[in-house]
Amino acid sequence: MTTSALTAAAGTDRMLLIETFVRIVEAGSLSAAAAQMGGTQPTVSRRLQLLERTLGVRLLQRSTHAIRLTEDGQRCYERGKELIATWQSFESEVRGAGDEPVMRVEWLLHDRMPDLIAENVDCAIRVGAVTDPSVIAVKLGEVPRIVVASPALLQGAPVPQDPPALAHLPWLALRTFYRTEVSLTHCGTGETGRFGIQPRLSTDGLHALRNAAVLGLGVALGSAWAMTDDLAAGRLVHLAPQWRADPLPVFLVYAPSRFQPARLRRFIEIMREHLPAELAGG
């Protein structure tokens, strides 16, 4: 390490340098990391350069379109995450929060992404892509999607087995994910089938979609977990069971903060431990 690097590092919070590096890796770019940390890209770049000079190694290989960890960078990333977690645990203990907080969960259901800071929301479960670069998104799993309809809609006809047979039925649209076209993939062969629809009803609510399907208003394409009880009770029928839409990613989203409350860290741990299995079993 050079004398200038030592001098600069001495005047800088080294944990901040490490946190910035970890955030760059997890965000995928310097600009996304800057947005998450409420700073600027030049500031994030300077912190990265200072950390590299302080450690005397190159951490990232950067190109126009991507960043890639070097071998030293991979070691630094893994160790950096451990250091941050240790510091957060220490900070919580000093503040008296402890590692096993008593959690009281207030669970709000919305078909929109909340403003986490303005609405004082610790975290959110988001189904579908997360496009806001200012939040941290941890992927928890994926939700399978299936085609269903009320038995009354079929009027005694055989259950459709492929996309062409589905295309002739009346449809409902979940406008968040599909509106005028449905795309399905065969579970065995990987063959893809697409067809256009003119929905009788369009909604942005999954439960509204399911209720409309149960009432016999049309065919619906929705998350398998939301249809399980109605399928078991015979209120819905699984159409074209060998065909499914692309699964939807599920993210746990929270606002970036240098120090996470112990309750939030524990909740994230619980979700990461248990939710993937629940989603897969849906």
Side-chain angles (χ1 to χ4, degrees), residues 36-69:
Q36 291 182 3
M37 301 185 77
T40 65
Q41 183 170 338
T43 297
V44 168
S45 180
R46 284 194 297 271
R47 290 175 185 169
L48 173 62
Q49 292 170 9
L50 178 55
L51 181 62
E52 288 181 327
R53 292 200 305 270
T54 301
L55 297 177
V57 296
R58 175 64 64 88
L59 300 175
L60 294 176
Q61 295 287 352
R62 282 176 279 176
S63 65
T64 304
H65 302 292
I67 60 173
R68 183 174 62 85
L69 282 168

Coordinates of all heavy atoms in Angstrom, one line a residue, residues 36-69:
Q36 N -28.9 3.2 -5.0 CA -29.3 2.5 -3.8 C -28.7 3.3 -2.5 O -29.4 3.3 -1.5 CB -28.8 1.1 -3.8 CG -29.6 0.2 -4.8 CD -29.1 -1.2 -4.7 OE1 -28.3 -1.6 -3.8 NE2 -29.6 -2.1 -5.6
M37 N -27.6 3.8 -2.7 CA -26.9 4.4 -1.5 C -27.2 5.9 -1.4 O -26.7 6.6 -0.5 CB -25.4 4.2 -1.6 CG -25.0 2.7 -1.6 SD -23.2 2.4 -1.5 CE -22.9 2.7 0.2
G38 N -28.0 6.4 -2.4 CA -28.3 7.9 -2.3 C -27.1 8.8 -2.7 O -27.1 9.9 -2.2
G39 N -26.2 8.3 -3.5 CA -25.0 9.0 -3.8 C -24.9 9.2 -5.3 O -25.9 9.1 -6.1
T40 N -23.7 9.5 -5.8 CA -23.5 9.7 -7.2 C -22.5 8.6 -7.7 O -21.7 8.0 -6.9 CB -22.9 11.0 -7.5 OG1 -21.6 11.1 -6.9 CG2 -23.8 12.1 -6.9
Q41 N -22.5 8.3 -9.0 CA -21.6 7.3 -9.6 C -20.1 7.7 -9.4 O -19.3 6.8 -9.0 CB -21.9 7.1 -11.0 CG -21.1 6.0 -11.7 CD -21.5 5.7 -13.1 OE1 -22.7 5.9 -13.4 NE2 -20.6 5.1 -13.9
P42 N -19.8 9.0 -9.6 CA -18.3 9.3 -9.3 C -17.9 9.0 -7.9 O -16.8 8.6 -7.7 CB -18.3 10.8 -9.7 CG -19.4 11.0 -10.6 CD -20.5 10.1 -10.2
T43 N -18.8 9.3 -6.9 CA -18.4 9.0 -5.5 C -18.2 7.5 -5.3 O -17.3 7.1 -4.7 CB -19.5 9.5 -4.6 OG1 -19.6 10.9 -4.7 CG2 -19.2 9.2 -3.1
V44 N -19.1 6.7 -5.9 CA -19.0 5.3 -5.7 C -17.7 4.8 -6.4 O -17.0 3.9 -5.9 CB -20.3 4.6 -6.3 CG1 -20.0 3.1 -6.5 CG2 -21.5 4.8 -5.5
S45 N -17.4 5.3 -7.6 CA -16.2 5.0 -8.3 C -15.0 5.3 -7.5 O -14.0 4.5 -7.4 CB -16.2 5.7 -9.7 OG -15.0 5.3 -10.4
R46 N -14.9 6.5 -6.9 CA -13.8 6.9 -6.1 C -13.6 6.0 -4.9 O -12.5 5.6 -4.5 CB -13.9 8.3 -5.6 CG -13.7 9.4 -6.7 CD -13.5 10.8 -6.1 NE -14.7 11.2 -5.4 CZ -15.7 11.9 -6.0 NH1 -15.6 12.2 -7.3 NH2 -16.8 12.3 -5.3
R47 N -14.7 5.6 -4.3 CA -14.6 4.6 -3.1 C -14.0 3.3 -3.5 O -13.2 2.7 -2.8 CB -16.0 4.4 -2.4 CG -16.5 5.7 -1.7 CD -17.9 5.4 -1.2 NE -18.5 6.6 -0.6 CZ -19.8 6.7 -0.3 NH1 -20.6 5.6 -0.5 NH2 -20.3 7.8 0.2
L48 N -14.5 2.8 -4.7 CA -14.0 1.6 -5.2 C -12.5 1.6 -5.5 O -11.7 0.8 -5.1 CB -14.7 1.2 -6.5 CG -14.2 -0.1 -7.2 CD1 -14.2 -1.3 -6.4 CD2 -14.9 -0.3 -8.5
Q49 N -12.1 2.7 -6.1 CA -10.6 2.9 -6.4 C -9.8 3.0 -5.2 O -8.7 2.4 -5.1 CB -10.5 4.2 -7.3 CG -11.1 4.0 -8.7 CD -11.1 5.3 -9.4 OE1 -10.5 6.3 -9.0 NE2 -11.8 5.4 -10.6
L50 N -10.3 3.7 -4.1 CA -9.6 3.8 -2.9 C -9.5 2.5 -2.2 O -8.4 2.2 -1.6 CB -10.3 4.8 -2.0 CG -9.7 5.1 -0.6 CD1 -8.2 5.5 -0.7 CD2 -10.4 6.1 0.2
L51 N -10.5 1.7 -2.2 CA -10.5 0.4 -1.6 C -9.5 -0.5 -2.3 O -8.7 -1.2 -1.7 CB -11.8 -0.3 -1.6 CG -11.9 -1.7 -1.0 CD1 -11.6 -1.6 0.5 CD2 -13.3 -2.3 -1.2
E52 N -9.4 -0.4 -3.7 CA -8.5 -1.2 -4.4 C -7.0 -0.8 -4.1 O -6.1 -1.6 -3.9 CB -8.7 -1.1 -5.9 CG -10.0 -1.8 -6.4 CD -10.3 -1.7 -7.9 OE1 -9.9 -0.7 -8.4 OE2 -10.8 -2.7 -8.4
R53 N -6.8 0.6 -4.0 CA -5.5 1.0 -3.7 C -5.1 0.7 -2.2 O -3.9 0.3 -2.0 CB -5.4 2.6 -3.8 CG -5.5 3.0 -5.3 CD -5.0 4.5 -5.4 NE -5.6 5.4 -4.5 CZ -6.7 6.1 -4.8 NH1 -7.3 6.0 -5.9 NH2 -7.2 7.0 -3.9
T54 N -6.1 0.7 -1.3 CA -5.8 0.4 0.1 C -5.4 -1.1 0.2 O -4.5 -1.4 0.9 CB -7.0 0.7 0.9 OG1 -7.4 2.0 0.8 CG2 -6.8 0.3 2.4
L55 N -6.1 -2.0 -0.5 CA -5.8 -3.4 -0.4 C -4.7 -3.8 -1.3 O -4.1 -4.9 -1.2 CB -7.1 -4.2 -0.8 CG -8.3 -4.0 0.1 CD1 -9.5 -4.8 -0.4 CD2 -8.0 -4.4 1.6
G56 N -4.4 -3.0 -2.4 CA -3.3 -3.3 -3.3 C -3.7 -4.4 -4.3 O -2.8 -5.1 -4.8
V57 N -5.0 -4.6 -4.6 CA -5.4 -5.6 -5.6 C -6.5 -5.0 -6.4 O -7.2 -4.0 -6.1 CB -6.0 -6.8 -4.8 CG1 -4.9 -7.5 -4.1 CG2 -7.1 -6.5 -3.9
R58 N -6.7 -5.6 -7.6 CA -7.8 -5.2 -8.5 C -9.0 -6.1 -8.1 O -8.9 -7.3 -8.0 CB -7.4 -5.4 -9.9 CG -8.6 -5.2 -10.9 CD -9.0 -3.8 -11.0 NE -8.0 -2.9 -11.4 CZ -7.8 -2.6 -12.7 NH1 -8.5 -3.2 -13.6 NH2 -6.8 -1.7 -13.0
L59 N -10.1 -5.5 -7.8 CA -11.3 -6.2 -7.3 C -12.3 -6.5 -8.5 O -13.0 -7.5 -8.4 CB -12.0 -5.4 -6.2 CG -11.2 -5.1 -5.0 CD1 -12.0 -4.2 -4.0 CD2 -10.8 -6.4 -4.3
L60 N -12.4 -5.6 -9.4 CA -13.4 -5.7 -10.5 C -12.7 -5.5 -11.8 O -11.8 -4.7 -12.0 CB -14.5 -4.7 -10.4 CG -15.5 -4.8 -9.2 CD1 -16.4 -3.7 -9.2 CD2 -16.2 -6.1 -9.2
Q61 N -13.2 -6.3 -12.8 CA -12.9 -6.0 -14.2 C -14.1 -5.4 -14.8 O -15.2 -5.9 -14.8 CB -12.6 -7.4 -15.0 CG -11.3 -8.1 -14.5 CD -10.1 -7.4 -14.9 OE1 -10.1 -6.5 -15.7 NE2 -8.9 -7.9 -14.3
R62 N -13.9 -4.2 -15.3 CA -15.1 -3.4 -15.9 C -15.0 -3.3 -17.4 O -13.9 -3.0 -17.9 CB -15.1 -2.0 -15.2 CG -15.7 -2.0 -13.8 CD -15.6 -0.6 -13.2 NE -14.2 -0.4 -12.7 CZ -13.9 0.8 -12.1 NH1 -14.7 1.8 -12.1 NH2 -12.6 0.9 -11.7
S63 N -16.2 -3.5 -18.0 CA -16.3 -3.2 -19.4 C -17.4 -2.2 -19.7 O -18.1 -1.8 -18.7 CB -16.5 -4.5 -20.2 OG -17.8 -5.1 -19.9
T64 N -17.7 -2.0 -20.9 CA -18.8 -1.0 -21.2 C -20.2 -1.5 -20.7 O -21.0 -0.7 -20.2 CB -18.9 -0.8 -22.7 OG1 -17.6 -0.4 -23.2 CG2 -20.0 0.2 -23.1
H65 N -20.4 -2.8 -20.7 CA -21.7 -3.4 -20.5 C -21.8 -4.2 -19.2 O -22.9 -4.5 -18.7 CB -22.2 -4.3 -21.6 CG -22.2 -3.5 -22.9 ND1 -23.1 -2.5 -23.2 CD2 -21.4 -3.7 -24.0 CE1 -22.9 -2.1 -24.4 NE2 -21.9 -2.8 -25.0
A66 N -20.7 -4.5 -18.5 CA -20.8 -5.4 -17.4 C -19.6 -5.2 -16.4 O -18.6 -4.6 -16.8 CB -20.9 -6.8 -17.8
I67 N -19.7 -5.7 -15.2 CA -18.6 -5.8 -14.3 C -18.4 -7.3 -13.9 O -19.4 -8.0 -13.9 CB -18.8 -5.0 -13.0 CG1 -20.1 -5.4 -12.3 CG2 -18.9 -3.5 -13.4 CD1 -20.3 -4.7 -10.9
R68 N -17.2 -7.6 -13.7 CA -16.9 -9.0 -13.3 C -15.9 -9.0 -12.2 O -14.9 -8.3 -12.2 CB -16.4 -9.8 -14.5 CG -16.1 -11.3 -14.3 CD -15.7 -12.0 -15.6 NE -14.5 -11.4 -16.1 CZ -13.2 -11.8 -15.7 NH1 -13.1 -12.7 -14.8 NH2 -12.2 -11.2 -16.3
L69 N -16.1 -9.9 -11.2 CA -15.2 -10.0 -10.0 C -13.9 -10.7 -10.5 O -14.0 -11.7 -11.2 CB -15.9 -10.8 -8.9 CG -16.9 -10.1 -8.1 CD1 -17.7 -11.1 -7.2 CD2 -16.3 -9.1 -7.2

